[in-house]
């Protein structure tokens, strides 16, 4: 087995309102998808090393809702929710993402387009996060999201690879 790609997600800002996250996983797309969308598996990777996932709700259908809640290590709660807009298993998922810790989370929700491309048993992920404006994007980037995201992606890869 090839080594994992720990900590290798790349974050770029292709437009004033966009964040593009790219990463390769040492696992086939169907297993990355499974780990990314199955509630009992999401509980195992989503918090990375930053806390404990306390609730995962997934209604994986167009128009269905999702919600993840974690208790972060200092003891405060962090929650996100959204709606699924497009589902093409196991290659494309489009959903909204609202951080519940800001005023009007749904009005300020980002649109997230995640694509998976498999080659030789490895999967490239592109995740485009589109905010309403630059202020939303910059608040997201400046929240410290990258460190937590790297940990979560590492845990996602380990979990997906273990499902083989």
């Amino acid at each position: 087995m090839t080594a994992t790609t720990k900590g290798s997600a790349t974050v770029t800002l292709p437009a004033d309102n966009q964040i593009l996250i790219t990463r390769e996983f040492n696992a086939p797309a169907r297993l990355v998808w499974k780990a990314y969308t199955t509630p009992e598996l999401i509980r195992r990777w989503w918090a990375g090393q930053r806390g404990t996932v306390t609730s995962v709700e997934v209604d994986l259908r167009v128009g269905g809702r999702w919600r993840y809640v974690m208790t972060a290590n200092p003891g405060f709660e962090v929650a996100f929710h959204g709606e699924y807009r497009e589902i093409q298993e196991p290659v494309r998922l489009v959903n909204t993402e609202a951080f519940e810790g800001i005023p009007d989370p749904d009005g300020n929700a980002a649109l997230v387009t995640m694509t998976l491309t498999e080659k030789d048993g490895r999967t490239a992920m592109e995740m485009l996060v589109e905010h309403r404006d630059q202020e939303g994007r910059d608040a997201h980037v400046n929240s410290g999201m990258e460190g937590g995201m790297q940990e979560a992606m590492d845990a996602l890869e380990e979990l997906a690879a273990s499902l083989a």
Side-chain angles (χ1 to χ4, degrees), residues 109-126:
L111 182 67
V112 179
T113 302
M114 188 269 293
T115 57
L116 299 175
T117 306
E118 183 178 332
K119 183 177 180 183
D120 299 327
R122 296 178 68 84
T123 301
M125 171 189 275
E126 283 194 4

Side-chain angles (χ1 to χ4, degrees), residues 40-121:
E40 58 269 23
L41 299 177
I42 294 165
R43 286 180 177 274
R44 295 167 55 187
W45 66 264
W46 186 66
Q49 303 295 315
R50 307 280 165 128
T52 303
V53 178
T54 57
S55 176
V56 174
E57 299 169 22
V58 172
D59 181 10
L60 190 60
R61 60 183 175 83
V62 173
R65 310 270 310 162
W66 64 272
R67 184 170 191 260
Y68 305 163
V69 181
M70 70 178 257
T71 300
N73 288 331
F76 62 91
E77 188 171 84
V78 178
F80 290 83
H81 68 264
E83 177 183 298
Y84 296 108
R85 299 279 176 87
E86 184 180 336
I87 301 166
Q88 296 176 20
E89 182 180 350
V91 296
R92 183 176 167 88
L93 183 65
V94 180
N95 59 272
T96 60
E97 180 179 282
F99 173 50
E100 296 179 7
I102 61 171
D104 189 17
D106 290 312
N108 290 297
L111 182 67
V112 179
T113 302
M114 188 269 293
T115 57
L116 299 175
T117 306
E118 183 178 332
K119 183 177 180 183
D120 299 327

Side-chain angles (χ1 to χ4, degrees), residues 4-25:
T4 62
T5 57
K6 188 173 182 175
S8 64
T10 300
V11 177
T12 57
L13 307 175
D16 287 348
N17 69 326
Q18 296 178 335
I19 302 168
L20 178 63
I21 300 164
T22 58
R23 159 123 190 199
E24 188 172 298
F25 295 92

